[in-house]
Amino acid sequence: MDGRFSGQLGGAATLEKMDTSRATRVGTTSIRVASVPQSHVYVRHLSPVNGSVSVLDTGAVSVTRLPDPVPADGAKVPGGWWPPLMLDPRWIAEHHNEFDVFHLHFGFDAVEPSVMADVLGELDRHGKPLVYTLHDLRNPHHPEPGAHEEVLDLLVPAADEVVTLTPGAAEQISQRWDRSATVLPHPHVVPPGRFAPRETPADEFVVGVHAKSVRANMDPLPVIMTLLEAASDYPDMTIQINLHDEVFVPGNHWYNPDFGTTALALSRHPYARVRVHDYFTDDQLWDYLRGLSVSVLPYRFGTHSGWLEACHDLGTSVIAPSCGFYHEQQECFTYDFTEDRFDPDSLVAALAQAYSARPAAAMWRDRRVQRLSIAEAHAGLYTRVLDA
């Protein structure tokens, strides 16, 4: 999932500071969840806004998610600590008394199948149920699907409960693994204080293509060139191209001087605006997205998107590719873009639709109600796997 934003990391306390007893308040069941990772914005927003208990038909349930253990080098990636120490059979062996349910979301990009098998074996050894939320049928960071699919072939059959975000993904899970997945929508991404009505449309219609660090599933150039050509048909359109400065740093994992040089050269185009910068902070990201009229996702493969959810929160239109299930997450415009094909005309048509539309920003009261429902669904799910 592409919702690994910069700056969106919660504070991470050490496990030693946590109460390791399974406390039970009067009339309330307390469940401790080891989430991987806890600090990602998606995971943090699976809890009620005010931290209250979830009231279910079976009674009140309080869910506590363990903070992410901090690696010795303190290394982070956007969305969590790296590597996630909970995805280590030794950590599970040493800390299994501190959690009741293990819930995996992200963070196993570099985990070998043999290690994941050991993780699953250690959970089974200690009788800890596994919940797996399948965000990515195809890992957006892997150029080839094989390694991710090997791990999925272990996780999906082994999980006590499988969750995903869209009906289309659930259907794929059913077809590939004969598992029934619970479909729960993606919660809001933007914080409550950032929800606000869209301002009067600006004099400039800004189309954003955020190339980030040009990860494996991105192919921005054909998208950008098509948009630049189409922009000449509009009186007020600017194509804004953003990329991270690390693509110019030799030795960096994301070093990509060919794309960087090509992107910079586009700054001479009359309809282009090129911005090179470090990872945005949260506030910078929200300002950037709200400043766009439409955000175009240049993905040739993928499944779901946190970026799309943030745009929905802020009232920024999205043009999403036909791959994956972005169109099932939120209302958006689509164009034909996959690993095998690109239809420029479909992108031009989607641009015309987006130009004529002026969507309203999401309302916090609606997202708050949805978040409460999602929190209750997870509390019920954890209760179910513990009672099984």
Side-chain angles (χ1 to χ4, degrees):
M1 184 166 114
D2 71 347
R4 300 176 174 91
F5 307 121
S6 59
Q8 300 216 80
L9 304 176
T14 60
L15 286 175
E16 288 74 16
K17 295 180 180 179
M18 290 200 64
D19 178 6
T20 59
S21 64
R22 184 175 176 179
T24 302
R25 287 178 283 176
V26 176
T28 300
T29 299
S30 180
I31 299 175
R32 304 162 304 165
V33 180
S35 290
V36 183
Q38 179 273 337
S39 53
H40 193 282
V41 64
Y42 173 93
V43 179
R44 288 188 281 113
H45 289 180
L46 299 182
S47 299
V49 177
N50 59 4
S52 64
V53 299
S54 297
V55 181
L56 311 177
D57 293 340
T58 54
V61 178
S62 174
V63 174
T64 301
R65 292 180 171 85
L66 275 63
D68 294 321
V70 181
D73 60 1
K76 290 183 179 181
V77 293
W81 301 96
W82 188 263
L85 296 189
M86 290 184 186
L87 277 181
D88 184 331
R90 293 170 298 180
W91 184 92
I92 296 169
E94 294 171 3
H95 298 276
H96 63 87
N97 287 326
E98 298 169 5
F99 65 91
D100 306 303
V101 177
F102 196 89
H103 191 164
L104 177 59
H105 293 270
F106 315 111
F108 55 91
D109 306 59
V111 174
E112 294 292 332
S114 60
V115 175
M116 186 60 76
D118 289 341
V119 166
L120 297 175
E122 201 65 33
L123 291 173
D124 184 63
R125 185 171 298 111
H126 297 288
K128 301 298 179 178
L130 169 66
V131 176
Y132 173 47
T133 296
L134 195 155
H135 295 266
D136 300 311
L137 284 160
R138 174 74 188 274
N139 192 310
H141 301 281
H142 291 179
E144 299 296 333
H148 187 66
E149 290 182 346
E150 282 188 61
V151 177
L152 290 185
D153 284 340
L154 295 172
L155 282 174
V156 178
D160 295 272
E161 290 277 351
V162 179
V163 180
T164 194
L165 312 183
T166 56
E171 178 61 26
Q172 288 287 311
I173 292 167
S174 175
Q175 291 177 5
R176 289 170 59 174
W177 293 284
D178 195 26
R179 289 296 307 268
S180 178
T182 299
V183 177
L184 296 174
H186 196 301
H188 70 99
V189 170
V190 172
R194 279 288 190 158
F195 283 78
R198 291 284 291 192
E199 299 173 358
T200 303
D203 296 334
E204 185 181 38
F205 190 89
V206 182
V207 180
V209 181
H210 206 84
K212 304 182 186 179
S213 302
V214 201
R215 68 187 183 194
N217 73 331
M218 289 190 172
D219 188 9
L221 282 178
V223 172
I224 291 168
M225 300 311 296
T226 299
L227 292 171
L228 288 172
E229 184 176 351
S232 63
D233 294 332
Y234 298 87
D236 57 351
M237 187 173 290
T238 297
I239 310 302
Q240 180 162 324
I241 304 149
N242 282 56
L243 65 154
H244 293 156
D245 51 12
E246 61 188 356
V247 303
F248 296 103
V249 180
N252 187 283
H253 175 76
W254 302 107
Y255 183 51
N256 192 338
D258 292 339
F259 174 81
T261 301
T262 301
L264 285 178
L266 292 174
S267 61
R268 297 190 292 268
H269 193 284
Y271 300 113
R273 179 189 299 146
V274 180
R275 296 285 185 266
V276 180
H277 53 81
D278 196 357
Y279 285 84
F280 282 148
T281 65
D282 282 358
D283 285 336
Q284 289 172 333
L285 180 59
W286 313 145
D287 288 341
Y288 162 73
L289 291 178
R290 187 174 281 279
L292 298 179
S293 305
V294 60
S295 181
V296 182
L297 308 185
Y299 309 154
R300 283 203 180 267
F301 58 86
T303 310
H304 301 117
S305 170
W307 190 272
L308 169 63
E309 296 289 342
C311 288
H312 171 72
D313 290 341
L314 296 167
T316 299
S317 295
V318 171
I319 298 177
S322 54
C323 61
F325 299 101
Y326 307 111
H327 64 287
E328 291 188 5
Q329 272 190 258
Q330 294 291 350
E331 184 176 348
C332 58
F333 306 99
T334 60
Y335 69 109
D336 193 10
F337 198 43
T338 69
E339 285 188 279
D340 304 319
R341 63 185 183 276
F342 170 46
D343 179 8
D345 291 339
S346 68
L347 178 55
V348 172
L351 182 64
Q353 291 176 305
Y355 186 82
S356 301
R358 294 294 187 271
M363 301 293 289
W364 169 238
R365 65 172 180 265
D366 296 331
R367 283 296 226 177
R368 184 187 178 101
V369 169
Q370 182 195 49
R371 177 166 165 178
L372 178 60
S373 175
I374 294 170
E376 290 177 345
H378 279 83
L381 186 149
Y382 299 145
T383 302
R384 188 162 65 246
V385 297
L386 286 170
D387 290 342

